[in-house]
Amino acid sequence: MSAFLTAENLRRSFATGRGGLFRPAPRFFAVDGVSLELEKGQTLGIVGESGCGKSTLSKLILGLIEADGGSVRLGGQETLNLSDADWRAMRRRMQLVYQDAAGALDPRMTVRAQVEEPLRIHGLPLGAAEEALRAVGLNGTMAGRYPHEMSGGQLQRVVIARALALEPDLMVLDEPVSALDVSIQAQIVNLLVQLQAERGLTYVFVSHDLGVVRHISDRVAVMYLGRVVEEAPKEAFYDGPLHPYARALLDAVAVPDPANRRTQAVRLGDPPNPANPPSGCRFHPRCPFATEICRAETPALRDFGGRRAACHHAEEIC
């Protein structure tokens, strides 16, 4: 049985300067050969430092930007290079929840009007807007408000309701709680977990917060300079990552009990320029375990019994 969401060898580059008459503009790959799978009703957490390609990958999955190569399939159907009519139908099935809820909403429109807008576009009954608002905990009084009259947590609920109104199969959540207070973060994450259980939703959850990812995800994928360096079930990942970069991210997470603090085996230091990545393993300039093979050869993303890691020395050091 194939996975519900499948991305294969996705690539996306961006120009870093101007070209000449006989010289193309230099480019760098924000996403470089990423392959992922996700079962229906589950959550894949995608983590990594700023600039690693998380948000670009989420936009590629949704078709919001064009891929240089690769494929994305949802429920077995290819989503890239669809006709306009087929893409319109597919668009209902995949929705994005933005990080900046205030920026994603029109200040001149009421909450109700903004949740109704995608329903109007797709010719669907507007009553679904009220149902979606109730599902996220917003009553009829709040539906008549404007964005500036609501708190940050309430605005994030509006953005979730707008995505939910179309009854999608897949929701991509790009740092959906990073701008909220910790107590409000917990409320929104618990809401997302509840909605997933009730509606069978599939989530791609993009975040830099490993604590939030641990709470909501079934599997975790770690990105570094445009590539996935580790992908594993949540329990296996948090028990002990195989890749040194993933270990460093997890070691850096603050814990409330100093007695249980992890030993920081890898100290990250400054990241390299993503427009000019190192040869071989892209993490080798920051890795204390790097050897000559790490500097010369790009490690493949190998299988380790239900989890994958791209490290030449994964068996030896992890």
Side-chain angles (χ1 to χ4, degrees):
M1 183 177 177
S2 60
F4 180 65
L5 173 68
T6 303
E8 290 186 1
N9 199 30
L10 275 179
R11 306 178 83 222
R12 171 66 193 208
S13 63
F14 295 95
T16 59
R18 288 185 171 184
L21 183 61
F22 302 104
R23 177 175 53 85
R27 307 182 70 85
F28 83 98
F29 279 91
V31 172
D32 191 3
V34 170
S35 297
L36 294 167
E37 291 186 349
L38 180 59
E39 301 297 331
K40 186 171 179 59
Q42 292 195 339
T43 299
L44 174 67
I46 301 178
V47 301
E49 295 170 294
S50 297
C52 71
K54 304 187 301 292
S55 294
T56 301
L57 176 60
S58 67
K59 292 174 183 175
L60 288 172
I61 290 172
L62 290 168
L64 297 179
I65 58 176
E66 186 176 351
D68 292 345
S71 70
V72 177
R73 293 190 298 276
L74 185 68
Q77 181 180 0
E78 179 66 40
T79 68
L80 303 183
N81 304 315
L82 292 175
S83 66
D84 290 345
D86 289 340
W87 174 243
R88 188 180 183 88
M90 179 61 71
R91 198 77 204 94
R92 277 190 59 190
R93 301 179 62 191
M94 304 189 297
Q95 291 294 302
L96 173 65
V97 174
Y98 296 87
Q99 174 183 3
D100 180 9
L105 297 172
D106 190 330
R108 301 165 296 180
M109 296 173 62
T110 65
V111 164
R112 179 182 291 105
Q114 303 204 51
V115 178
E116 288 177 348
E117 186 175 28
L119 297 169
R120 294 182 189 276
I121 292 172
H122 289 275
L124 299 174
L126 300 184
E130 296 290 343
E131 180 186 349
L133 286 168
R134 286 195 298 270
V136 301
L138 296 177
N139 58 35
T141 303
M142 291 183 178
R145 295 181 182 178
Y146 289 87
H148 72 272
E149 299 176 298
M150 307 186 79
S151 68
Q154 290 170 339
L155 291 177
Q156 196 59 266
R157 290 173 186 265
V158 174
V159 174
I160 294 170
R162 187 169 63 180
L164 205 63
L166 292 175
E167 298 184 351
D169 297 314
L170 172 70
M171 289 175 63
V172 176
L173 304 115
D174 189 2
E175 301 273 10
V177 297
S178 63
L180 304 176
D181 293 339
V182 173
S183 60
I184 306 301
Q185 285 185 10
Q187 293 176 21
I188 298 299
V189 169
N190 289 336
L191 171 65
L192 291 170
V193 171
Q194 175 188 334
L195 292 172
Q196 184 177 46
E198 293 173 351
R199 298 170 181 250
L201 294 167
T202 305
Y203 292 153
V204 173
F205 192 92
V206 178
S207 180
H208 65 274
D209 189 329
L210 283 166
V212 173
V213 168
R214 183 171 194 167
H215 184 75
I216 196 171
S217 298
D218 297 289
R219 298 187 69 88
V220 179
V222 181
M223 289 192 68
Y224 185 75
L225 292 185
R227 295 177 178 169
V228 172
V229 296
E230 181 158 354
E231 190 265 336
K234 174 179 66 176
E235 295 80 6
F237 175 79
Y238 283 93
D239 283 346
L242 296 179
H243 195 281
Y245 174 65
R247 291 180 65 189
L249 291 181
L250 196 56
D251 289 348
V253 175
V255 295
D257 183 1
N260 293 327
R261 185 174 299 154
R262 298 170 64 98
T263 301
Q264 193 165 4
V266 181
R267 297 187 181 275
L268 286 175
D270 294 328
N273 181 0
N276 185 27
S279 61
C281 174
R282 296 184 175 185
F283 186 61
H284 84 256
R286 309 168 77 186
C287 181
F289 309 108
T291 61
E292 188 57 37
I293 191 174
C294 304
R295 291 181 278 272
E297 297 182 16
T298 300
L301 195 60
R302 295 181 289 150
D303 183 73
F304 292 87
R307 59 195 302 182
R308 301 182 299 160
C311 178
H312 291 298
H313 304 296
E315 298 94 337
E316 305 163 29
I317 64 177
C318 301

